[in-house]
Amino acid sequence: MTVSEVLVDRLLARGVDTFFGVPGTQTLPLNEVVDRRDDLRFVCARHETAVTHEAWGYAEASGTPAATVVIPGPGDLHAANGLRNALNDCTPMVHLSIETEPEVRGKGGIHETPPDTYDNLVKENVLVETPESVAVEVERAVEVATTHPKGPVRVGIPKNFLRMETPQAEVGSHEPADPPGVSPAAIEDVADRLRSAANPVVIGGNGVRAAEATDELRAVAESLDAPVASTYKAKGVIPEDHDLYADIMSSGSTAALAGCFEESDAALAVGTDFDAVTTQHWSYDLPDELVHVTMDASDFGSGYEPSVALLADAKKALSALVDELEPETEDPERSGAERAGAVRAAKADRLADLASVDEAPFTSASVLGTLREALPRNTVATGDSGGFRLWAAVAFETYDHREYVHNGSWASMGCGLPAAIGAKVAEPDKPVVSLIGDGGLFMCLHELHTAVAEEIPVIVVVANNNDYAIISAEAGREYELAAHEYAWAGSPASFSGVAESLGMASSTVETTAELTAAVEDALDRDGPTLIEVPTAQDEPQAGSWLSADE
């Protein structure tokens, strides 16, 4: 077997059966092997920046990694944006870069960059030094990528190795390392602290998603009758129509959520690092009795001082806590559902006027509310970055932790459409919708063609206000710049026209009734669809609107 065949076989044996890439002369020996296989799928993107975002969307929606394939140098550096995003989000990925040949390395070969360039972009950067070590290194890459905390692993393989037929080192059984649990004594102590609280609150973070511990989180919250707030990245960690769901921690969270935290006398925070984006620079006033469960010891005390710090896997800690709490679940004095309901009602009141707009130019809240009603409950939605993403995080309800895909603190624009493509490949039986603004779509417009060429039936809803509105708003508010300094209203774009030119079904809607009809048509269509929705340049931003007291 050639090295390329060994590489593909080892990935398939570990369950990695989907590849995203852009071919180049360096990758062709591997592409040739991939093309012969009928037990894997290769999605050919139009730009390397989309490749890693597509694999990220695939893993976020499915929980399992995909592989990415690019050329060295420009390919790797274009893909680096998505690699860093996946690293921040603890998303597993195996990134294959077809490297410069060893005998050429350091001598100015085409596309050459020093391999250590990528050390801080991935969980581990592996350079294959000999053709005989490919099987071992690929196995190790998958193991590292899928071991908590998960993340992307880069594997650099010289092109001249790919066609070699060399004996491979024997590879033993490789499974992800078992994540840490907690001692019974520690769990008993935590249970006692939470049971004794009159108004506990639960915070679910991305670690709960990664550990597939959402059922356990919900069971703990129900045992405590405690409101649940999800961190920004953990949207969907509890169904947003659950009686105990309060709100998402983000720039668009309401003053009512802050009030819920302030009135709580104990908090259980699981799987979060309390980063600046989630906490709005640690502006939430959390109770002194704070039980913090995380996999990274450096998270403790980085934003809030815990009363109990548990270095543990979310699923193991929550499972043990469920068992410990179960004997004493009834407390007639608890009012968690009422407290959570008050937070949701406050948000609904703030959204009511904006959500009632039924013709163009729409508000983001009206678009998102209409979409939520028109789309099936199990729809996978992907967000981008920018103002529309902030609205989507707070105004588009989500009911499962794998059915809302958006990035965390990296917050790169241009990821939403590629993520939707990856999510649809991962979940072909679920509707997938990309919720994206015009600024974000301009940064990944080429992937409309990928969706058409690869026959991936995503629904792209682009909110078009002809402006980098969230930037323009701050420019006019905080600086001596015009109110719409970064608008392009004088040269408006027709995204539906672009989509049509690429062979994609498209429309521009002027009423919410037309939007509903367009979504229904898209759901019945075998191919991809773009729906352009004109939105108002002067609509308020989610953060300033929802966080206001009135």
Side-chain angles (χ1 to χ4, degrees):
M1 296 177 69
T2 66
V3 165
S4 290
E5 291 169 328
V6 169
L7 187 158
V8 170
D9 276 354
R10 296 317 307 167
L11 287 172
L12 284 169
R14 295 302 301 271
V16 181
D17 60 2
T18 304
F19 291 59
F20 297 91
V22 173
T25 57
Q26 291 92 340
T27 72
L28 287 177
L30 179 58
N31 292 125
E32 180 183 40
V33 171
V34 169
D35 187 60
R36 291 200 298 261
R37 303 295 295 249
D38 58 8
D39 50 354
L40 61 79
R41 180 167 188 181
F42 181 85
V43 176
C44 183
R46 297 299 174 269
H47 199 283
E48 290 99 343
T49 51
V51 167
T52 41
H53 286 318
E54 287 166 356
W56 166 74
Y58 180 99
E60 286 281 302
S62 66
T64 58
T68 51
V69 186
V70 299
I71 64 170
D76 254 341
L77 290 175
H78 284 140
N81 184 14
L83 290 175
R84 182 67 205 196
N85 176 56
L87 181 65
N88 279 26
D89 286 354
C90 298
T91 305
M93 184 189 306
V94 179
H95 178 67
L96 306 175
S97 175
I98 311 308
E99 267 285 357
T100 304
E101 297 92 328
E103 61 270 21
V104 178
R105 195 177 297 150
K107 300 175 184 176
I110 188 169
H111 299 328
E112 183 182 3
T113 52
D116 62 0
T117 300
Y118 313 100
D119 285 355
N120 293 319
L121 300 172
V122 290
K123 184 178 178 183
E124 187 164 336
N125 182 21
V126 179
L127 182 61
V128 178
E129 297 287 359
T130 65
E132 292 83 0
S133 64
V134 165
V136 171
E137 297 290 26
V138 169
E139 286 281 348
R140 186 165 67 88
V142 177
E143 180 181 5
V144 171
T146 55
T147 297
H148 294 286
K150 300 176 183 179
V153 176
R154 178 183 180 272
V155 183
I157 305 174
K159 176 186 177 181
N160 62 319
F161 288 4
L162 295 175
R163 284 186 162 180
M164 292 182 181
E165 295 188 17
T166 59
Q168 292 292 309
E170 287 294 326
V171 181
S173 176
H174 278 246
E175 295 297 333
D178 194 33
V182 290
S183 71
I187 288 295
E188 183 178 356
D189 175 49
V190 168
D192 287 343
R193 290 169 183 259
L194 295 174
R195 272 196 296 256
S196 64
N199 293 307
V201 66
V202 173
I203 298 170
N206 192 41
V208 177
R209 292 177 71 250
E212 303 292 342
T214 55
D215 289 345
E216 291 81 1
L217 180 81
R218 185 165 62 247
V220 166
E222 290 170 349
S223 292
L224 294 170
D225 190 26
V228 179
S230 70
T231 66
Y232 185 80
K233 179 61 188 173
K235 182 174 170 65
V237 77
I238 183 172
E240 293 185 20
D241 57 355
H242 192 286
D243 286 346
L244 290 173
Y245 174 71
D247 202 357
I248 184 174
M249 297 172 70
S250 74
S251 64
S253 60
T254 61
L257 178 65
C260 180
F261 287 145
E262 290 169 8
E263 70 184 19
S264 298
D265 55 355
L268 169 66
V270 185
T272 177
D273 58 2
F274 286 125
D275 64 59
V277 173
T278 291
T279 63
Q280 295 306 293
H281 292 271
W282 308 280
S283 62
Y284 295 111
D285 185 8
L286 298 183
D288 292 337
E289 183 71 276
L290 173 62
V291 178
H292 189 186
V293 182
T294 181
M295 289 278 286
D296 188 342
S298 66
D299 295 341
F300 297 131
S302 62
Y304 297 93
E305 192 68 34
S307 55
V308 177
L310 298 180
L311 187 70
D313 169 65
K315 194 174 189 74
K316 288 188 173 183
L318 289 168
S319 295
L321 196 51
V322 169
D323 293 340
E324 188 65 32
L325 289 170
E326 198 169 25
E328 301 181 39
T329 56
E330 294 186 9
D331 185 345
E333 301 300 318
R334 292 282 173 86
S335 58
E338 289 81 358
R339 294 167 60 210
V343 177
R344 295 196 307 275
K347 181 164 74 172
D349 287 344
R350 288 295 293 159
L351 288 175
D353 288 343
L354 295 178
S356 67
V357 176
D358 61 3
E359 60 183 25
F362 302 96
T363 63
S364 295
S366 67
V367 172
L368 293 159
T370 302
L371 288 172
R372 182 64 277 180
E373 291 182 5
L375 289 163
R377 184 179 176 86
N378 69 338
T379 296
V380 179
T382 66
D384 201 82
S385 288
F388 193 53
R389 171 177 92 144
L390 298 178
W391 275 115
V394 296
F396 186 88
E397 279 195 356
T398 302
Y399 312 113
D400 183 85
H401 65 296
R402 294 291 175 195
E403 291 174 358
Y404 196 88
V405 176
H406 64 169
N407 51 20
S409 59
W410 190 243
S412 173
M413 294 181 73
C415 66
L417 172 56
I421 289 172
K424 185 63 178 180
V425 174
E427 296 288 352
D429 296 329
K430 291 183 178 181
V432 175
V433 60
S434 171
L435 306 174
I436 193 166
D438 49 348
L441 186 53
F442 266 130
M443 297 187 187
C444 57
L445 197 60
H446 38 79
E447 295 312 293
L448 293 175
H449 191 259
T450 299
V452 172
E454 296 284 341
E455 300 180 340
I456 300 172
V458 294
I459 303 171
V460 182
V461 178
V462 53
N464 187 2
N465 58 14
N466 292 298
D467 194 358
Y468 285 127
I470 195 171
I471 306 302
S472 287
E474 185 169 346
R477 183 178 63 248
E478 303 291 340
Y479 301 92
E480 294 182 4
L481 292 164
H484 296 290
E485 182 73 21
Y486 301 108
W488 48 86
S491 52
S494 170
F495 292 101
S496 56
V498 172
E500 184 177 351
S501 75
L502 296 174
M504 179 181 286
S506 63
S507 63
T508 300
V509 299
E510 297 293 334
T511 66
T512 51
E514 290 180 3
L515 176 55
T516 297
V519 170
E520 291 172 350
D521 289 344
L523 291 169
D524 290 336
R525 191 171 287 121
D526 291 334
T529 303
L530 181 137
I531 304 171
E532 187 168 1
V533 186
T535 52
Q537 282 188 338
D538 293 322
E539 74 167 332
Q541 297 301 317
S544 58
W545 181 261
L546 285 166
S547 61
D549 290 326
E550 57 179 43

